[in-house]
Amino acid sequence: MLFRSNQFTVFTYIPNNNINSSDNFGKKGNSTPSIVKVCQSINHIFFLYKERLVIVNKLTNRIIHIKYLNEQFFDMFYDEILNGIFIYNGNHIYKIELEHEYKYLWIDYVEIGNYELAIKTVISEDKNIKIKLHKLYAEYLFKEKKYLESAKEYAFSEEIFEEVCLKFLKINNIKALITYLALVNYFRITNKTNSKDKKYITKYLVNTWLFELLVEKKENSEKGEIISNIKDFIRDSKHGNDYINKTLLYFILKVYGRLEEFVEFATIKGDYTKAIISLINYKTMKEAIDYIKMNVSFGVENVKNTLQKIFYKYATLFMKQNPIETIDLIEKYFKVNNEQNNTTEMIRVLNSLIINNIIKDEQKYKIIISYIQKLIEKP
């Protein structure tokens, strides 16, 4: 004889305070029922009484089903291979087939408030359930004031974008908002947006907002942040390099006076002229020369060629301000030939430095004289 329970969720739930009732468990009268046998499966414990079987959920400690039997049974065991509970007496054997124990395990985890395990337990086919669990978990974490963790969970839910942003803006938690935007930008927009035009516009807007928030951000980094500063954004291609308006981002960096990030962003985007001019205007000529040296040293051939062209464009300016460092840069990293338009002009500038007695240091004086001679003799 066989009875089957396909899903534990269809079992009859009975409040705990009714379990000890003699009407439920005992024979007529006030006698306490005695347990004949106890065994357990992966997620449930089975209590066999003489004329009934009681099933308890291990996680929630709740009785999820009571099966009344028409005859008395005296033994029970669990067979892991056959995945079933067997109860028997001298006449019959009952088999309780344990189907879908894992499939609905997430419900038990939700009941005890363990959303993280609930999400992990949901099988891959149940994507809609997993998305809803991310939302439940996010709301729970938000109430617990674990805002960074909440932001991560909201990003994997399908909660309305504007509403989530408002949640974090209302509590003025910019770190959590940045984390949410970064994850939404990469995962949800990338994977969920079907239209290419819509995807571009959405990522463009999110990236711009994310970029400005990071530029404004003054707080120190906190453990758990997905992206903590503007340099992370600039260096990580996932967070905006393909969906940004360079002109707008340069403007934002300039307005906020973020020169270091401006130069790094320009370097990544290959805008070496912007980087060099910014260093000349807002830092020192020496820092501009050092920037060229560093990028020539580690750059590929096309980068070296680009930097050489930019350098000779401003070589006269470099010679006036830092002749020794400029000469050192040329001799170590660049080839000088008569095809360079500024060669004659550099000779004129260096002669001017000598004639006007601007160079006081004897060693520097000799270096410049020697270099002028090289330029003149160069075929």
Side-chain angles (χ1 to χ4, degrees):
M1 299 179 65
L2 170 71
F3 73 87
R4 181 193 299 263
S5 296
N6 289 327
Q7 299 177 358
F8 284 114
T9 50
V10 301
F11 285 177
T12 304
Y13 284 85
I14 300 175
N16 288 337
N17 57 359
N18 290 336
I19 294 306
N20 293 326
S21 168
S22 59
D23 292 336
N24 287 331
F25 286 96
K27 295 180 180 179
K28 291 181 180 180
N30 295 324
S31 60
T32 302
S34 59
I35 298 173
V36 174
K37 195 71 179 283
V38 177
C39 68
Q40 59 181 329
S41 65
I42 297 168
N43 300 317
H44 300 87
I45 303 174
F46 297 80
F47 295 89
L48 177 65
Y49 295 84
K50 287 185 178 180
E51 295 179 351
R52 57 192 57 79
L53 178 68
V54 179
I55 305 174
V56 177
N57 186 293
K58 283 184 182 179
L59 287 173
T60 62
N61 294 321
R62 290 182 59 183
I63 294 178
I64 62 169
H65 188 63
I66 297 177
K67 175 66 180 178
Y68 290 93
L69 308 171
N70 295 324
E71 51 190 310
Q72 292 187 2
F73 289 81
F74 54 77
D75 207 352
M76 173 176 64
F77 68 91
Y78 169 61
D79 191 305
E80 187 175 356
I81 297 174
L82 297 175
N83 194 32
I85 297 290
F86 293 85
I87 57 175
Y88 58 93
N89 56 21
N91 299 315
H92 300 105
I93 297 176
Y94 277 92
K95 179 187 176 186
I96 301 98
E97 294 187 9
L98 307 175
E99 296 184 358
H100 310 304
E101 269 200 299
Y102 276 119
K103 186 174 182 179
Y104 298 100
L105 183 59
W106 64 270
I107 296 173
D108 302 327
Y109 282 122
V110 169
E111 189 173 335
I112 62 174
N114 196 330
Y115 296 99
E116 191 171 356
L117 280 176
I119 291 167
K120 289 179 181 179
T121 306
V122 173
I123 59 176
S124 58
E125 289 83 0
D126 294 333
K127 290 181 180 178
N128 290 332
I129 293 174
K130 188 167 284 191
I131 288 168
K132 290 175 182 177
L133 288 176
H134 278 297
K135 179 184 174 182
L136 285 173
Y137 192 22
E139 291 172 346
Y140 168 78
L141 290 167
F142 192 91
K143 288 177 184 177
E144 294 294 312
K145 297 184 178 181
K146 296 179 179 179
Y147 299 120
L148 276 179
E149 294 89 339
S150 175
K152 294 173 188 176
E153 295 303 320
Y154 271 125
F156 291 105
S157 74
E158 290 188 347
E159 185 69 344
I160 298 170
F161 175 81
E162 292 83 354
E163 290 186 5
V164 177
C165 291
L166 282 172
K167 272 180 175 283
F168 294 119
L169 285 171
K170 282 179 182 178
I171 60 171
N172 196 31
N173 196 312
I174 302 303
K175 290 180 181 179
L177 178 58
I178 287 171
T179 296
Y180 173 70
L181 289 174
L183 286 172
V184 163
N185 182 33
Y186 183 63
F187 290 105
R188 195 195 295 185
I189 298 173
T190 301
N191 298 327
K192 295 285 185 181
T193 309
N194 296 323
S195 165
K196 287 185 179 180
D197 291 336
K198 184 179 178 182
K199 175 181 174 180
Y200 180 86
I201 293 168
T202 308
K203 286 180 80 70
Y204 173 88
L205 292 171
V206 171
N207 272 319
T208 305
W209 188 21
L210 177 59
F211 192 89
E212 188 162 10
L213 286 171
L214 287 165
V215 173
E216 282 185 325
K217 184 172 174 282
K218 296 178 181 177
E219 305 97 325
N220 295 325
S221 299
E222 184 177 324
K223 185 179 179 182
E225 287 185 81
I226 296 297
I227 179 169
S228 60
N229 55 60
I230 194 63
K231 287 186 178 181
D232 288 344
F233 180 97
I234 289 170
R235 291 168 187 165
D236 194 339
S237 60
K238 292 187 299 186
H239 296 301
N241 288 339
D242 298 325
Y243 298 90
I244 55 176
N245 183 317
K246 286 197 301 179
T247 304
L248 179 58
L249 268 55
Y250 280 131
F251 176 76
I252 292 171
L253 289 168
K254 192 173 181 180
V255 166
Y256 284 93
R258 302 293 286 268
L259 178 62
E260 186 179 343
E261 290 85 355
F262 185 101
V263 170
E264 184 166 0
F265 184 58
T267 303
I268 289 172
K269 304 309 290 182
D271 295 333
Y272 298 106
T273 302
K274 274 187 180 292
I276 292 168
I277 291 299
S278 297
L279 290 169
I280 290 172
N281 289 336
Y282 299 104
K283 286 287 186 178
T284 64
M285 199 69 68
K286 185 179 183 308
E287 287 188 63
I289 292 171
D290 289 340
Y291 170 84
I292 294 172
K293 283 182 180 179
M294 181 184 70
N295 285 280
V296 168
S297 299
F298 298 104
V300 293
E301 196 61 34
N302 64 324
V303 173
K304 291 180 182 178
N305 294 335
T306 301
L307 286 168
Q308 183 167 337
K309 289 177 183 177
I310 297 169
F311 168 75
Y312 276 109
K313 185 177 179 180
Y314 301 101
T316 305
L317 188 60
F318 287 131
M319 283 294 187
K320 286 179 182 178
Q321 300 294 325
N322 292 77
I324 302 304
E325 287 84 354
T326 304
I327 290 169
D328 180 67
L329 174 62
I330 293 171
E331 298 221 298
K332 286 184 178 178
Y333 299 101
F334 298 140
K335 293 179 180 179
V336 177
N337 54 61
N338 288 331
E339 293 176 6
Q340 297 294 345
N341 296 328
N342 283 1
T343 300
T344 304
E345 181 64 16
M346 282 194 289
I347 292 172
R348 189 190 67 75
V349 170
L350 292 171
N351 276 325
S352 174
L353 294 173
I354 299 297
I355 293 166
N356 294 311
N357 200 26
I358 294 172
I359 303 299
K360 305 293 185 182
D361 186 283
E362 185 179 350
Q363 189 174 1
K364 289 182 179 180
Y365 183 90
K366 289 179 180 179
I367 291 171
I368 292 173
I369 292 293
S370 173
Y371 188 68
I372 292 173
Q373 189 66 31
K374 283 183 182 181
L375 290 176
I376 292 171
E377 292 174 354
K378 194 78 178 174

